[in-house]
Amino acid sequence: MALDPSRTVAELKDLRELTGDENGAQRLAWTETWEQARGWLRELVADTGAKESIDAAGNQWFTLPGASKRAVLIGGHIDSVPNGGWLDGALNVVAGVEVLRRIASDGKPPVTLRLVNWADEEGARFGRSLFGSSAAAGSMSDQDELRALTDREGLALPDALVAHGVDLDKALDARKELESAAAYLELHIEQGPVLESLGLPLGVVQGTFGVERHRITWRGQAAHAGSTPMDKRRDALAGAAKLALEIREIARRTGGGAVCTSGGVVCHPGIVTSVVETAEQLLDQRDLNAHRLAMMLAEAKAASERFAGEESIDVEWEKIWSIEPILFDDTLLGLCEESIREVVGMSHRLPSGPLHDAAEVARAGVPTVMMFVQSLRGLSHTKLEDTREDHLEQSVAALDRLTSKTVDWVAEGGGR
Amino acid sequence: MALDPSRTVAELKDLRELTGDENGAQRLAWTETWEQARGWLRELVADTGAKESIDAAGNQWFTLPGASKRAVLIGGHIDSVPNGGWLDGALNVVAGVEVLRRIASDGKPPVTLRLVNWADEEGARFGRSLFGSSAAAGSMSDQDELRALTDREGLALPDALVAHGVDLDKALDARKELESAAAYLELHIEQGPVLESLGLPLGVVQGTFGVERHRITWRGQAAHAGSTPMDKRRDALAGAAKLALEIREIARRTGGGAVCTSGGVVCHPGIVTSVVETAEQLLDQRDLNAHRLAMMLAEAKAASERFAGEESIDVEWEKIWSIEPILFDDTLLGLCEESIREVVGMSHRLPSGPLHDAAEVARAGVPTVMMFVQSLRGLSHTKLEDTREDHLEQSVAALDRLTSKTVDWVAEGGGR
């Protein structure tokens, strides 16, 4: 059976019909609609002869045995955010099915091929993303926090899991699934504007950004907007305003795709007749290089101290969260680039701002690469998320070539 | 009977005992505590022979008839915000009583002297300040809006007024109280840091600032903080940050005491992982000169358009409220300055940022002046509000001299 990328597009539309509504995709993890999507996937794969198994963390595996047990993995996630898009996560899985079909029809492969549908990548219901992949990677270390999570209706995460056959206490048993993994491949929509702005359908993902996420509190003095002369003010908003502008210069000086964002400022008392006493500012900094990321954070901190001095206000930093950059495998980056060039002529290397299951797998030591397909207007997590159909078909063809090249590489002793 | 400024301080402490608690003054207008304070004031004035009357807007008048019906008015307000300070409004009234005593003991004055305790200056309960003075000035023109106001318990303003003998429909009848007014004097705490920073106890108030109050909405595009390169962003916060800093330059360039304040910015979606799509910014600009105030507004608007262009975002202005500057009477400014110099040696002219009842009286065409006494740390509307006792006593002595000079001026045909 020849690869038919147009079938992938048709199947994605079927999935949209089956599990979406007028507001978008509704495949929230650990729900009936999600189970329905998993059942639909099961039927789709059945013809290929790949054998299904659900691991201890609820991840859905389809295994096509090869001459060697060493396995090339293709991963994605069929769960979506509420009112989500039709492609985020699902493209990877459905494109993987088409590749599985093609390889199965070619006869027993030299190495094992496995398609994995990770459980609860989005974390949209309980606020914890990458559930299934972090269990498989063994990086899940917050079991106590997970036990305490509840959804909007007050249902606890462990209870939601049990209804889908998962025992939270045993979720880490999913680690054994990666024991035979030699390489991991993931196709995903970009969810950003870079490829569209370059006019390119496909790109090679170098890795996922490291992230520094902080809350910065500026403390000045509330004072009457009418009776306090300009030179007598200690205006907390002035510190936040200066930093909101300065972090953009820091990102530009750093270059290489580094980004810094101030997602908001909350002012107290926040009334028109008072100088701002307290401003709480959110900061998010990301880069692919750990050293440069640390430098950006240090520069922002130094700038904030300078601004606090200039404005006679106080500044305090509190870390919300951080993660190291995760770099993908050099050989696989090269294979991915070759595959893209063969299909569309030109490729581009770019980092991934959002985290993905691929980052968890890479952290576990499995050589990993991701391929991005262009997103229209950079939109995702909305029903407006979209990608041109010719680009979707090209992404399936490129994933197919990447899989073949990776199978050959692993068969020759490459990978882990 | 000689003037005894220390008595004023003692009486203010009595009032604090009677109508305050551990959180501060509780003389909220149209409440039992406020009535209690008015009753206390009635008893205080009784010995002077001045005759009490309550006008159609609930203002409490004490009239000491003179040879002429033309009247010099001393005004203040005994109402406070909840958890307010002991001096804001009350100082003016209680100091006025001491002046009334001294003048009454000197025999029948050449012109009539009237002390007015304005009703609901603060507007703390129904959100409408300067109630009584705007009725007397005839500038109250929002009867329909007033009728719709309710307090936190849902009680309508007209019903609260009726319980204190005031019929909202007839409140403007209070206009006749100002028919005989030849001049109006008001002593007040500064509620700002200027006199303290100059080391001066007393100052002459030139007038009340004109105010331009606007809501500025910046509209950009929400975008993922990780996947959106810096040069692809349309960040609404950048516009607000630039303007928050620029208005300070505008105020400094304008000089002469002009102030510009951004009291707050509200960001949407306001999350750490997204570029800000919408930022709603509050702007307050004040100056004593109408032309300069208009220039400041025009400069801020022009700057906002420039920033919107630089950031590829939209900006929209919505006026919240504005008022023209109100200048006090030149002759009275001079008399006030003389009085202050006689008592403390040095004086200083400064504008008033906050509005006061005096502004309403001046708008009605009555020659008016205010005197400020130093506020410690510029604080008011809090129980921490305070003024040194020697400064309070000096303010009573200076108000007494100002009253004498004004009586002489009016007797000689000055004033209205």
Side-chain angles (χ1 to χ4, degrees):
Chain A
M1 190 192 293
L3 190 82
D4 181 1
S6 70
R7 180 160 48 195
T8 301
V9 176
E11 287 168 349
L12 283 163
K13 289 179 180 174
D14 290 346
L15 180 64
R16 178 166 63 181
E17 278 302 301
L18 191 72
T19 59
D21 59 23
E22 70 280 11
N23 297 314
Q26 306 297 349
R27 298 183 299 275
L28 199 58
W30 321 111
T31 64
E32 275 310 302
T33 307
W34 177 67
E35 278 294 0
Q36 193 181 5
R38 298 213 301 177
W40 172 86
L41 183 63
R42 183 176 298 124
E43 286 178 31
L44 216 60
V45 177
D47 290 345
T48 66
K51 199 174 144 245
E52 189 205 20
S53 59
I54 307 281
D55 73 16
N59 301 307
Q60 184 180 26
W61 295 84
F62 298 98
T63 304
L64 188 70
S68 160
K69 283 195 171 176
R70 296 180 65 226
V72 171
L73 274 44
I74 299 175
H77 61 93
I78 213 159
D79 73 297
S80 76
V81 297
N83 306 324
W86 66 307
L87 300 171
D88 181 356
L91 167 63
N92 339 359
V93 173
V94 180
V97 174
E98 187 60 26
V99 174
L100 212 57
R101 278 192 194 110
R102 197 273 302 162
I103 289 178
S105 74
D106 286 353
K108 192 180 184 97
V111 300
T112 297
L113 206 76
R114 304 187 76 191
L115 174 64
V116 54
N117 171 21
W118 298 111
D120 204 359
E121 191 269 353
E122 298 287 3
R125 184 164 161 207
F126 293 97
R128 170 56 153 79
S129 57
L130 308 178
F131 178 89
S133 55
S134 70
S139 62
M140 179 187 278
S141 60
D142 51 352
Q143 238 76 356
D144 288 343
E145 288 167 39
L146 287 171
R147 246 182 292 280
L149 295 177
T150 56
D151 70 6
R152 283 191 189 180
E153 271 72 47
L155 184 70
L157 174 63
D159 297 334
L161 299 188
V162 163
H164 296 272
V166 175
D167 176 352
L168 179 59
D169 293 335
K170 294 182 180 157
L172 278 163
D173 291 353
R175 277 178 294 189
K176 63 170 178 278
E177 299 294 333
L178 291 190
E179 283 168 10
S180 61
Y184 177 83
L185 311 175
E186 187 171 328
L187 166 68
H188 206 282
I189 55 167
E190 182 196 336
Q191 303 176 274
V194 176
L195 293 173
E196 187 180 35
S197 73
L198 295 171
L200 294 176
L202 300 170
V204 181
V205 184
Q206 300 159 294
T208 57
F209 273 153
V211 183
E212 286 285 350
R213 208 171 273 173
H214 296 257
R215 181 178 292 107
I216 301 152
T217 304
W218 303 88
R219 282 182 232 281
Q221 174 66 56
H224 194 290
S227 64
T228 315
M230 299 308 289
D231 61 357
K232 298 279 183 299
R233 298 180 174 205
R234 297 174 54 224
D235 182 358
L237 180 58
K242 286 182 171 181
L243 190 64
L245 299 173
E246 181 66 16
I247 56 166
R248 311 189 317 164
E249 299 310 313
I250 291 171
R252 282 171 192 146
R253 278 201 301 273
T254 303
V259 287
C260 294
T261 307
S262 184
V265 177
V266 176
C267 299
H268 302 282
I271 56 176
V272 72
T273 53
S274 176
V275 173
V276 175
E277 175 148 301
T278 309
E280 285 183 11
Q281 181 166 27
L282 296 170
L283 176 67
D284 179 291
Q285 298 183 297
R286 307 195 192 200
D287 196 78
L288 202 54
N289 177 293
H291 173 68
R292 286 196 324 215
L293 179 58
M295 288 288 293
M296 289 208 298
L297 177 60
E299 281 188 50
K301 284 190 173 173
S304 76
E305 295 293 341
R306 192 168 73 244
F307 299 148
E310 288 167 9
E311 301 293 332
S312 303
I313 58 182
D314 295 322
V315 64
E316 194 182 309
W317 286 65
E318 177 199 351
K319 181 186 275 200
I320 298 172
W321 183 73
S322 71
I323 189 169
E324 295 272 300
I326 293 160
L327 297 175
F328 293 150
D329 183 80
D330 266 343
T331 305
L332 289 175
L333 289 174
L335 297 181
C336 186
E337 197 153 58
E338 271 180 38
S339 307
I340 291 173
R341 289 214 174 111
E342 287 168 15
V343 174
V344 297
M346 270 183 71
S347 180
H348 177 72
R349 293 196 176 199
L350 74 169
S352 170
L355 281 174
H356 289 285
D357 293 309
E360 288 291 352
V361 179
R363 285 218 281 178
V366 180
T368 292
V369 76
M370 289 186 75
M371 185 189 295
F372 273 169
V373 60
Q374 188 191 112
S375 287
L376 292 173
R377 291 155 294 152
L379 296 174
S380 69
H381 287 196
T382 157
K383 66 173 178 179
L384 300 175
E385 168 194 292
D386 208 2
T387 293
R388 282 170 47 173
E389 291 193 12
D390 56 335
H391 291 172
L392 291 175
E393 294 186 13
Q394 287 163 337
S395 77
V396 179
L399 177 66
D400 183 60
R401 283 173 183 261
L402 172 58
T403 308
S404 286
K405 289 176 200 290
T406 306
V407 164
D408 291 348
W409 178 56
V410 171
E412 288 158 16
R416 190 179 66 167
Chain B
M1 189 192 293
L3 189 82
D4 181 2
S6 70
R7 180 160 47 197
T8 301
V9 176
E11 287 168 349
L12 283 164
K13 289 179 180 174
D14 290 346
L15 180 63
R16 177 165 64 182
E17 278 301 301
L18 191 71
T19 59
D21 59 24
E22 69 280 13
N23 297 314
Q26 306 297 350
R27 299 183 299 273
L28 199 58
W30 321 112
T31 64
E32 275 311 300
T33 307
W34 176 68
E35 279 295 0
Q36 193 181 7
R38 299 213 301 178
W40 172 87
L41 182 64
R42 183 176 300 124
E43 286 179 31
L44 216 61
V45 177
D47 289 345
T48 66
K51 200 178 142 237
E52 189 204 21
S53 58
I54 306 281
D55 73 18
N59 301 307
Q60 184 180 28
W61 296 84
F62 298 98
T63 304
L64 188 70
S68 160
K69 283 194 171 176
R70 297 180 66 225
V72 171
L73 274 44
I74 300 175
H77 61 94
I78 213 160
D79 73 296
S80 75
V81 297
N83 306 325
W86 67 307
L87 300 171
D88 181 355
L91 167 62
N92 338 357
V93 174
V94 181
V97 174
E98 188 59 27
V99 174
L100 211 57
R101 279 190 194 112
R102 197 272 303 161
I103 289 179
S105 74
D106 285 353
K108 191 180 183 100
V111 300
T112 297
L113 205 76
R114 303 187 78 191
L115 173 65
V116 54
N117 171 21
W118 298 111
D120 203 359
E121 192 268 354
E122 297 288 3
R125 185 166 161 205
F126 294 96
R128 170 58 153 78
S129 57
L130 307 177
F131 178 90
S133 54
S134 69
S139 61
M140 180 186 280
S141 61
D142 52 352
Q143 237 76 356
D144 287 344
E145 287 167 40
L146 286 171
R147 246 181 291 279
L149 296 177
T150 56
D151 69 6
R152 284 192 187 178
E153 272 72 47
L155 184 71
L157 174 64
D159 298 334
L161 299 188
V162 163
H164 297 271
V166 175
D167 176 353
L168 180 58
D169 293 334
K170 295 182 179 158
L172 278 163
D173 290 353
R175 278 178 293 189
K176 65 170 177 277
E177 300 294 332
L178 292 189
E179 283 169 10
S180 61
Y184 176 84
L185 311 175
E186 188 173 328
L187 166 66
H188 207 282
I189 56 167
E190 182 197 335
Q191 303 177 274
V194 175
L195 293 173
E196 187 180 36
S197 72
L198 295 171
L200 294 176
L202 299 170
V204 181
V205 184
Q206 300 159 294
T208 57
F209 273 153
V211 183
E212 287 285 350
R213 207 170 275 175
H214 296 258
R215 182 177 292 109
I216 301 152
T217 304
W218 303 88
R219 288 195 178 82
Q221 174 66 56
H224 195 290
S227 64
T228 315
M230 300 308 289
D231 61 357
K232 300 277 183 297
R233 298 178 174 206
R234 297 174 54 223
D235 182 359
L237 179 58
K242 285 182 171 180
L243 189 64
L245 299 173
E246 181 66 16
I247 56 166
R248 311 186 321 161
E249 299 311 313
I250 291 171
R252 281 172 192 144
R253 278 201 301 273
T254 304
V259 287
C260 294
T261 308
S262 183
V265 177
V266 176
C267 299
H268 302 282
I271 57 176
V272 72
T273 53
S274 177
V275 172
V276 176
E277 175 148 302
T278 309
E280 284 183 10
Q281 181 166 29
L282 296 170
L283 176 67
D284 179 291
Q285 298 183 297
R286 306 194 192 202
D287 196 78
L288 203 53
N289 178 292
H291 173 68
R292 287 196 324 216
L293 179 59
M295 287 290 292
M296 289 209 298
L297 177 60
E299 282 188 50
K301 285 191 173 172
S304 75
E305 296 293 342
R306 192 167 73 244
F307 300 148
E310 288 167 8
E311 302 292 333
S312 301
I313 58 182
D314 296 322
V315 65
E316 193 182 310
W317 285 66
E318 177 198 351
K319 182 186 275 200
I320 299 172
W321 182 73
S322 71
I323 189 169
E324 295 271 298
I326 292 160
L327 297 175
F328 293 150
D329 183 79
D330 265 342
T331 305
L332 288 176
L333 288 174
L335 297 181
C336 187
E337 196 153 59
E338 271 179 42
S339 306
I340 291 174
R341 288 213 174 112
E342 287 167 16
V343 174
V344 298
M346 271 183 69
S347 181
H348 177 73
R349 292 196 177 198
L350 74 169
S352 170
L355 281 173
H356 290 285
D357 293 308
E360 289 291 352
V361 179
R363 285 218 280 178
V366 180
T368 292
V369 76
M370 289 185 76
M371 184 189 296
F372 273 169
V373 61
Q374 187 190 113
S375 287
L376 292 172
R377 292 155 293 152
L379 296 174
S380 69
H381 287 196
T382 156
K383 67 173 178 179
L384 300 175
E385 169 194 293
D386 207 3
T387 293
R388 281 169 48 172
E389 291 192 11
D390 56 336
H391 291 173
L392 290 175
E393 294 186 14
Q394 287 163 337
S395 76
V396 180
L399 177 67
D400 183 60
R401 283 173 182 261
L402 172 59
T403 308
S404 287
K405 290 176 199 290
T406 306
V407 165
D408 291 348
W409 178 57
V410 170
E412 288 158 16
R416 189 181 66 169

